[in-house]
Amino acid sequence: MNAPTALPPAVDLPAGTVAVLPMRNLVLFPQVLTPVTLGRPKSVAAFEHAIAHELPVVLVLQREPGHDDPALADLWPVGTLTTLGQHHRHADGQVQVVCQGLHRVRLLEPVVGLPFLAARIEPMPDAAPSSSRAEALALQLRERVQELLSAMPGVPGELVLMLQTIREPAQLADLAASLIDIEPQDKQQLLEILPTEERLEQVLQRVTHRLEVMRIAREIAARTQERFDDRQRRVLLHEQLRAIQKELGENGDEARDIDQLDEAITAAQMPPAVESQVRKEWRRLKRMADAGSEAAPLRTWIEWMTELPWAPPAELRIDLAAARQSLEADHFGLARAKQRIVEYLAVKKLNPQGRAPILCLVGPPGVGKTSLGQSVARALDRPFVRVSLGGVHDEAELRGHRRTYVGAMPGHIVQALRKAGARDAVLMLDEIDKMSAGLHGDPYAALLELLDPEQNASFRDNYLGQPFDVSRVLFIATANVVDGLPAAVRDRLELIELPGYTLEEKLAIAHRHLLARQMQACGLRDEQCQVSEAALRAIATDYTREAGVRQYERELGRVLRAVALQLAEGQAERVRVDASDLATLLGPPTVEHDIGLRTSLTGVATGLAWTPVGGDILFIEATRMAGTGRLILTGQLGEVMKESAQAALTLVKSHAAALGLSPAAFEQLDVHVHVPAGAIPKDGPSAGVALFVALASLFSERPVRHDLAMSGEISLRGLVLPVGGIKDKVLAAQRAGLRGVLLPARNRKDLQDIPEPTREALNFTWLDSVDDAIEAALVPRLALAMDPSAAPPALGRL
């Protein structure tokens, strides 16, 4: 029973005007009874008014179901005049009411000023009385509808009885139209048809189509029942849909995609053995249901196979003059590296099928390793792709996952070649030294096959499962250090070292590349901004300490952004940046040249170190105290450096007589050696000479010259052994403002790698033994006796 409610305020509707209830997906036909749920405020208000005043309403289908507040223009023009019967109000405000259709009406114009939608209407009677043809159509329609109802489960018997008792053709057409499962727009079209014969024909056509679809579905179900079991019901539905589309003459998108894959396989120009395997899998995919668990992974695999560059590359054409010009235009300095690359291209030109070595550019960050590879690709007119190997610790990231794994994908190499779209692309293996072995295999093991010219003609990716020829790919690797690379990998690489830049080279690079690039990035023109030579030099010396020019370019960009701000705010029309302006633009200098540490002190020596980011200087401090002869080492020293310190102390003890010391003195003293910047790990044999000089200075009480640095490994016989990274260390000494360096005599051959301006600016002392280091590094006793505070004499070229 309905709960009593207060009547809404009286609203006088003009004659011929009724309330309108918009329906989202419902079309009500005359003489048809159906429940309707009302939830929108205006619809509920119209219902309350109609119930209160016992008035009919018009149910009309709206054009857009998603429209929540439709106007009269948003509704179809023809609806059904309806009486409201039993109803029930829910707690959430919705109303469920039983509606009885009366007859068709046309909406003429809206009535404004009401709390609900209302319109003036006119009745739409049937166009003509029933005819003999209409009765014949009605007879056929009744039979078809009864057949349709018998095929539908759960149909009430009252509905079948009603269908048999209706004799009026127009009423039968409306009842049948309300029973068939078609779109609301199609039902609206049937509602708007007034001629009885035409309406019967249209309803009969739709009922017949529905019966035919159901018949075909039953035949398909009968044919496929033996092929599928209960676990494959979803596959059955898709198979039925495909068969229905075929019977109706429709061709789905999936079939077109399968045919396109066939064309892609033909166009890929795969080797015969590979194409045979791919076509075998394609035929298997064609027989699969679209919703099968294997269909999507198999389709993805075939797409990968068709998108790889299988076709043989075009004839290799190398213009050495253009390559040399491209390298010179893009990079300043790096003469040996550019010469080696040109030689490599020359060999490729004369012997395109030859097994060339894999080039590996080794150097600190910011010296141009990646850009060298880009220049080579540009000179050869080939695609350039970069594969970053930093942090790779899984073999599958290079060789791919097996297709049986969920979410399997090819490795980075195959992905890069697919992106390049060419088998002769320039592929840069960046940061090859940053890989590491993990729980899922060693990526360096996968790299061996890739980098071996004798094996990479049949490189096998686990995901592809077929060999792929990468012998025509120009591989260029990059690394900061190669000490950690496995020996087998290093054996397959030809190392080309790219040491750091001198100050003059950095200034030249700034003029040729960095300044123009940063001005373009900041939107500045030459007539708006000018950076003086002194400012460029000050940025390089006071705000950066690096082997490359990456931080140098960042600081230059900071300066130009500050200039751009001044121009944008109208503070100036033209700005010139001098060295005196840098403190305002960049703040105080960030690079300390350690002037306070570089004084002639006993027990303090300046060493030269090589790091992954270039050369640098480090200070070794030694002090002594009463004790029992212990050696204390601090400063995050590695095992090799600790052994060098122990060897240096042993050498000092063996030279006690030459240093004027008593051997017994060492047994009553503890020696503490510390290398500042203790949070930074340090290791390597190059600090042997500096450790020996610091300890010799400590015990002999002779200060170490403050204007020189040293590098070299020592042996217990007192020999100075050669070390690596000479150019980077010498450049670091020049950047630090030192006047001389002590180097092993067996490193004299490396002098030719050092730029001429640097050789002219520094004094080089070549050491054969630690006695040479004592003589060159310690202040003579005579000078100390005459004037203990005297500065060390100037160094002479040795």
Side-chain angles (χ1 to χ4, degrees), residues 462-484:
N462 290 331
Y463 181 79
L464 301 183
Q466 299 294 326
F468 189 84
D469 186 2
V470 296
S471 60
R472 299 293 295 274
V473 177
L474 177 55
F475 290 103
I476 300 179
T478 69
N480 295 135
V481 291
V482 294
D483 297 339

Side-chain angles (χ1 to χ4, degrees), residues 625-640:
M625 65 206 79
T628 59
R630 292 185 306 159
L631 175 61
I632 304 172
L633 301 174
T634 56
Q636 279 274 39
L637 306 184
E639 292 299 325
V640 176

Side-chain angles (χ1 to χ4, degrees), residues 738-757:
L738 299 174
R739 294 169 54 191
V741 291
L742 308 183
L743 298 174
R746 292 165 62 180
N747 282 116
R748 192 188 295 267
K749 62 182 184 301
D750 298 316
L751 189 62
Q752 61 180 352
D753 298 334
I754 301 172
E756 182 63 28

Side-chain angles (χ1 to χ4, degrees), residues 229-303:
D229 54 17
D230 293 339
R231 294 174 298 176
Q232 296 172 315
R233 289 179 180 176
R234 290 181 58 86
V235 179
L236 169 62
L237 295 176
H238 286 276
E239 194 73 18
Q240 290 175 339
L241 178 60
R242 179 179 296 178
I244 292 173
Q245 290 175 341
K246 183 176 181 180
E247 291 288 338
L248 297 177
E250 300 177 0
N251 188 16
D253 294 337
E254 298 295 335
R256 288 194 295 271
D257 291 343
I258 297 294
D259 295 337
Q260 290 175 358
L261 282 180
D262 184 23
E263 298 173 0
I265 294 173
T266 304
Q269 303 182 36
M270 304 176 187
V274 177
E275 183 174 355
S276 175
Q277 181 64 27
V278 174
R279 288 202 175 277
K280 177 181 178 182
E281 297 293 338
W282 175 80
R283 289 190 294 269
R284 192 161 68 94
L285 174 66
K286 192 174 182 179
R287 295 191 300 267
M288 284 184 181
D290 299 332
S293 59
E294 297 184 19
L298 184 57
R299 179 191 298 273
T300 303
W301 179 80
I302 296 177
E303 290 174 350

Side-chain angles (χ1 to χ4, degrees), residues 39-239:
R40 288 180 282 193
K42 287 187 178 181
S43 298
V44 174
F47 161 79
E48 298 287 356
H49 179 271
I51 288 296
H53 301 282
E54 298 182 354
L55 296 176
V57 296
V58 176
L59 266 64
V60 187
L61 180 69
Q62 61 187 65
R63 298 180 183 272
E64 295 294 336
H67 198 170
D68 291 332
D69 188 17
L72 195 65
D74 301 321
L75 309 179
W76 291 90
V78 176
T80 303
L81 189 66
T82 306
T83 59
L84 304 179
Q86 294 182 353
H87 56 275
H88 176 73
R89 294 178 178 85
H90 298 278
D92 58 358
Q94 292 187 348
V95 176
Q96 190 169 8
V97 58
V98 177
C99 299
Q100 172 75 49
L102 299 178
H103 57 80
R104 292 172 174 81
V105 295
R106 184 182 302 277
L107 305 181
L108 298 180
E109 59 184 12
V111 178
V112 298
L114 299 177
F116 49 82
L117 195 63
R120 192 167 61 86
I121 62 173
E122 67 173 358
M124 297 179 62
D126 293 337
S130 301
S131 62
S132 299
R133 187 172 184 275
E135 293 179 358
L137 290 172
L139 180 61
Q140 285 190 349
L141 179 60
R142 180 180 288 106
E143 294 177 356
R144 294 300 178 90
V145 173
Q146 288 179 348
E147 183 180 353
L148 180 65
L149 293 178
S150 63
M152 298 171 59
V155 177
E158 295 83 357
L159 183 60
V160 177
L161 181 62
M162 181 188 301
L163 185 68
Q164 295 175 349
T165 56
I166 293 177
R167 291 289 177 265
E168 182 65 30
Q171 185 178 356
L172 178 63
D174 290 339
L175 178 60
S178 66
L179 293 177
I180 57 178
D181 184 15
I182 58 177
E183 295 293 329
Q185 290 78 6
D186 292 339
K187 289 188 177 182
Q188 180 66 30
Q189 293 177 1
L190 296 176
L191 181 67
E192 295 180 2
I193 298 176
L194 295 181
T196 303
E197 293 182 6
E198 180 181 356
R199 193 189 316 159
L200 286 168
E201 290 178 352
Q202 293 294 329
V203 175
L204 180 61
Q205 179 181 352
R206 287 168 169 79
V207 172
T208 303
H209 175 77
R210 183 63 181 169
L211 282 172
E212 184 67 15
V213 171
M214 295 179 66
R215 181 188 65 80
I216 296 174
R218 287 195 299 269
E219 292 178 357
I220 295 172
R223 288 197 304 265
T224 58
Q225 183 65 33
E226 298 178 356
R227 297 170 49 195
F228 300 98
D229 54 17
D230 293 339
R231 294 174 298 176
Q232 296 172 315
R233 289 179 180 176
R234 290 181 58 86
V235 179
L236 169 62
L237 295 176
H238 286 276
E239 194 73 18

